[in-house]
């Protein structure tokens, strides 16, 4: 599990007095950035290789209100990965309360000459694979989105 922490900023609060839905996505995105850096997709890697990560699909569940100055902890787990993609399950916690859950499908991309899916380097892929939850542990996660999987076929994205 990878962990990211942040505090809800005043500008993230909407007219209802809680964090606007768009900022849940921002916080989840910051947590993905932190996880990517931890496994090796950091700034040095991006500059050296011209590769990065693109978001393909996401699903979010909003479970509890989050207010200004709340301290959030985002726990990121890897559900699956293949040679070009990885599937994340993220839980946003406000203290002991589960505030939101998101699932994200990410794609490794070589940006030049035009963006195109590219294989994840072996050493990073091994880190992702070693952090991947077992199917039993993944099945126990609550608030799963509709089916989001890495389809295995002869022609990958």
């Amino acid at each position: 599990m990878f962990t990211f922490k942040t505090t809800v900023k005043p500008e993230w609060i909407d007219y209802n007095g809680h964090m606007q839905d768009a900022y849940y996505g921002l916080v989840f995105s910051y947590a993905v950035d932190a996880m990517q850096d931890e496994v090796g997709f950091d700034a040095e890697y991006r500059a050296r290789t011209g590769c990065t990560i693109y978001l393909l699909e996401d699903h979010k569940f909003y479970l509890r209100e989050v207010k200004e100055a709340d301290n959030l902890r985002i726990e990121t787990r890897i559900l699956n990965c293949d040679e070009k993609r990885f599937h994340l399950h993220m839980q946003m916690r406000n203290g002991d309360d589960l505030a939101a859950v998101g699932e994200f499908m990410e794609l490794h991309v070589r940006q030049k000459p035009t963006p195109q899916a590219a294989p994840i380097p072996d050493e990073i892929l091994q880190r992702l694979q070693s952090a991947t939850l077992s199917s039993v542990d993944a099945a126990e996660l609550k608030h799963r989105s509709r089916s989001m999987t890495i389809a295995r076929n002869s022609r990958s994205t």
Side-chain angles (χ1 to χ4, degrees):
M1 180 175 63
F2 302 90
T3 303
F4 172 78
K5 295 179 181 178
T6 193
T7 301
V8 178
K9 298 177 182 347
E11 59 268 24
W12 296 354
I13 302 303
D14 67 12
Y15 49 83
N16 292 315
H18 57 248
M19 190 163 74
Q20 185 181 30
D21 59 327
Y23 291 103
Y24 285 79
L26 178 70
V27 172
F28 279 131
S29 185
Y30 286 155
V32 171
D33 290 348
M35 189 263 343
Q36 290 174 178
D37 286 352
E38 199 168 330
V39 298
F41 295 123
D42 57 12
E44 185 278 327
Y45 171 83
R46 293 188 302 271
R48 179 174 45 80
T49 65
C51 294
T52 191
I53 303 301
Y54 282 14
L55 175 64
L56 295 177
E57 182 174 354
D58 75 63
H59 302 247
K60 293 180 217 57
F61 291 91
Y62 304 95
L63 305 170
R64 295 198 188 288
E65 289 184 326
V66 173
K67 306 245 180 201
E68 182 178 339
D70 283 350
N71 294 308
L72 303 178
R73 182 180 75 252
I74 293 71
E75 300 171 347
T76 302
R77 293 166 179 84
I78 300 171
L79 296 176
N80 199 352
C81 61
D82 69 7
E83 69 279 353
K84 296 178 185 175
R85 298 167 291 183
F86 52 99
H87 180 184
L88 304 175
H89 183 273
M90 304 175 82
Q91 296 180 343
M92 181 184 294
R93 297 192 173 277
N94 184 5
D96 291 332
D97 292 331
L98 185 59
V101 174
E103 283 193 41
F104 302 83
M105 187 67 71
E106 306 282 346
L107 177 68
H108 184 250
V109 174
R110 180 170 292 109
Q111 292 186 307
K112 294 182 182 177
T114 59
Q116 182 175 352
I120 297 169
D122 286 339
E123 66 276 5
I124 296 175
L125 183 58
Q126 288 173 6
R127 286 184 206 121
L128 293 170
Q129 290 170 337
S130 69
T132 299
L133 289 179
S134 71
S135 57
V136 171
D137 289 338
E140 292 178 3
L141 293 170
K142 295 185 189 228
H143 306 290
R144 293 292 310 273
S145 68
R146 68 173 178 82
S147 179
M148 184 189 302
T149 63
I150 293 178
R152 310 273 189 225
N153 62 34
S154 59
R155 190 171 161 217
S156 294
T157 302

